[in-house]
């Protein structure tokens, strides 16, 4: 891969699909994608949202409201399912693991939808592939 960030929907989905392919081809432990931090959405001191993908599993942290939006989004992705929800007492949210068996383009579309529908990013948000 030569690109690691994208801002338009088409560029982002291509970037995400390329990152999934690179992750699979390299046999890496995981792939991490982050959206630019937005203090209005994320809070003043909170990091921006991130999504990890490993093998056939997405991993992400969400608030209660974000979890509700994620569950709604999953109705559009029937081949994906929540496998684990973990809410440690010391954390302010829930860690979600989703099994996702699909091709790179479908996985890329899901990631883009999560950043927009679940994490509230606008159509022109910037995303970064930070680890492959």
């Amino acid at each position: 891969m030569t690109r690691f960030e994208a801002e338009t929907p088409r560029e982002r989905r291509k970037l995400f699909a390329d990152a999934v392919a690179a992750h699979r081809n390299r046999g890496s432990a995981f792939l991490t994608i982050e959206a630019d931090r937005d203090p209005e959405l994320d809070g003043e001191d909170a990091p921006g949202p991130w999504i990890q993908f490993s093998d056939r599993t997405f991993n992400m942290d969400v608030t209660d409201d974000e979890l509700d939006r994620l569950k709604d989004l999953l109705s559009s992705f029937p081949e994906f399912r929540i496998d684990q929800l973990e809410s440690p007492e010391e954390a302010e949210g829930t860690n979600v693991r989703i099994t996702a068996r699909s091709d790179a383009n479908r996985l890329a579309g899901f990631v883009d939808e999560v950043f927009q529908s679940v994490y509230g990013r606008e159509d022109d948000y910037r995303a970064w592939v930070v680890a492959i």
Side-chain angles (χ1 to χ4, degrees), residues 58 60 66-85 96-100 106 110 113-114 117-118:
F58 284 110
M60 63 195 77
E66 291 166 345
L67 180 58
D68 290 340
R69 292 192 296 267
L70 178 60
K71 288 177 178 178
D72 287 343
L73 176 63
L74 285 170
S75 66
S76 300
F77 292 84
E79 70 276 28
F80 297 6
R81 73 175 192 284
I82 294 176
D83 275 345
Q84 182 179 0
L85 298 172
V96 182
R97 294 189 186 238
I98 298 170
T99 298
R106 183 83 168 145
F110 177 74
E113 288 293 326
V114 168
S117 300
V118 175

Side-chain angles (χ1 to χ4, degrees), residues 3 6-20 77 104-114 116 123 125 127:
R3 298 178 307 118
E7 292 180 32
T8 68
R10 185 176 185 183
E11 289 174 345
R12 283 192 308 268
R13 289 179 184 221
K14 172 87 170 100
L15 174 67
F16 300 161
D18 289 348
V20 168
F77 292 84
N105 290 324
R106 183 83 168 145
L107 298 171
F110 177 74
V111 170
D112 197 37
E113 288 293 326
V114 168
Q116 291 182 69
D123 191 50
Y125 78 93

